[in-house]
């Protein structure tokens, strides 16, 4: 099962979501969920991300199963990761005070178990929600702080948190665009494309280029926006970008 988990993570980072989903399904068939609820919850959590990435659903049914499995168990990195994904999905689909509380809880839980990568992911969600709620300066500052820390760790050879990196640049550009700061959004995507190319993350890069197309469109830079949209199609390894 450890090998299957490694394959899922590698496939996810390289944009091979179909393979990641197949392996996750195999692992869950092999698992006794009653005897290994944390392992099962981890694979259900991955399936939730894969379903969303492949545009076959929003992943909430899979995430609900993961949350059922960790409910009542002692704090753990798996529990923290489930909470972080729940907050991220809620921020996309049902933002509001309850979602803000979910993100705060995910941050607290990740800190409690010393899971920095999960904490950074949850902090990114919290930063976006903060900006959306009206504290644009504070929210953007938190998102940039998370981005800088993930890049710092990646360049130091700590790659266990690198999955957060694409989300950092995608969400930051989206937040800037949503408050009318399209020129800054373009700048953020230019940096993001360079960094993600360096780490070899084409699907994450596709998300950022898609955000760049949106920002360029808002600025009336039509030809550049079209080129960015076509580049997104070329880079994307999954359906969502």
């Amino acid at each position: 099962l450890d090998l299957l988990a490694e394959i899922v993570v590698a496939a996810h980072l390289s944009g091979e979501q179909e393979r990641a989903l197949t392996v996750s399904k195999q692992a869950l068939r092999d698992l006794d969920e009653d005897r290994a609820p944390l392992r099962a919850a981890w694979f259900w959590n991955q399936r939730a991300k894969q379903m969303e990435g492949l545009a076959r659903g929003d992943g909430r049914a899979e995430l609900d199963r993961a949350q059922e499995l960790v409910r009542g168990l002692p704090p753990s990195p798996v529990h923290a990761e489930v909470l972080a994904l729940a907050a991220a999905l809620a921020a996309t689909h049902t933002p509001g005070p309850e979602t803000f509380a979910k993100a705060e809880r995910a941050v607290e839980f990740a800190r409690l178990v010393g899971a920095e990568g999960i904490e950074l992911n949850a902090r990114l969600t919290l930063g976006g929600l903060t900006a959306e709620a009206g504290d644009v300066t504070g929210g953007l500052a938190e998102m940039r702080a998370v981005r800088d820390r993930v890049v710092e760790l990646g360049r130091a050879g700590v790659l266990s948190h690198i999955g957060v990196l694409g989300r950092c640049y995608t969400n930051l550009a989206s937040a800037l665009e949503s408050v009318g700061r399209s020129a800054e959004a373009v700048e953020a995507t230019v940096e993001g494309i360079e960094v993600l190319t360096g780490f070899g993350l084409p699907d994450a890069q596709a998300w950022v280029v898609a955000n760049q197309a949106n920002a360029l469109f808002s600025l009336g830079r039509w030809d550049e926006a079209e080129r960015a949209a076509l580049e997104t199609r070329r880079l994307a390894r999954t359906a969502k970008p």
Side-chain angles (χ1 to χ4, degrees):
L1 285 170
D2 289 342
L3 177 59
L4 293 180
E6 289 176 14
I7 293 170
V8 168
V9 172
H12 178 75
L13 287 175
S14 63
E16 298 294 332
Q17 296 284 22
E18 194 70 60
R19 179 165 172 74
L21 181 60
T22 299
V23 176
S24 295
K25 287 178 177 178
Q26 180 186 334
L28 287 166
R29 282 195 300 269
D30 294 345
L31 269 168
D32 182 337
E33 294 189 2
D34 293 328
R35 291 188 177 185
L38 284 178
R39 278 180 175 267
W42 187 88
F43 281 106
W44 278 111
N45 207 51
Q46 301 309 305
R47 280 192 64 175
K49 291 188 281 189
Q50 292 145 17
M51 292 297 286
E52 188 182 31
L54 290 165
R56 293 182 188 167
D58 56 18
R60 281 187 278 189
E62 292 76 13
L63 184 59
D64 285 347
R65 180 59 184 148
Q67 291 184 96
E68 285 172 20
L69 287 163
V70 298
R71 191 170 290 121
L73 295 179
S76 68
V78 172
H79 200 155
E81 189 172 9
V82 169
L83 289 174
L85 183 58
L89 283 179
T92 301
H93 300 288
T94 54
E98 187 178 330
T99 302
F100 199 93
K102 276 185 183 178
E104 286 184 317
R105 185 165 173 248
V107 171
E108 290 167 7
F109 225 87
R111 284 178 179 161
L112 182 65
V113 298
E116 186 180 12
I118 298 166
E119 179 194 333
L120 289 166
N121 200 16
R123 280 178 56 196
L124 184 68
T125 299
L126 193 57
L129 290 167
T130 300
E132 219 171 79
D135 182 4
V136 175
T137 301
L140 291 175
E142 178 70 341
M143 296 175 85
R144 287 186 171 115
V146 170
R147 174 203 60 191
D148 293 346
R149 177 60 177 160
V150 177
V151 172
E152 177 191 3
L153 288 167
R155 286 175 175 163
V158 181
L159 300 179
S160 55
H161 311 336
I162 209 70
V164 184
L165 189 57
R167 192 167 174 252
C168 286
Y169 283 105
T170 301
N171 288 22
L172 177 59
S174 180
L176 287 164
E177 174 68 9
S178 71
V179 294
R181 292 161 67 168
S182 301
E184 288 179 64
V186 172
E187 289 174 14
T189 61
V190 169
E191 178 190 327
I193 291 162
E194 181 182 350
V195 171
L196 292 165
T197 300
F199 283 110
L201 299 170
D203 202 56
Q205 190 181 338
W207 278 98
V208 177
V209 179
N211 279 86
Q212 186 177 78
N214 284 332
L216 289 166
F217 189 87
S218 295
L219 292 167
R221 293 160 62 177
W222 318 119
D223 292 343
E224 292 170 86
E226 183 181 25
R227 283 196 294 272
L230 292 171
E231 179 68 358
T232 299
R233 290 175 62 186
R234 186 185 71 80
L235 287 166
R237 299 290 188 273
T238 56
K240 270 296 184 103

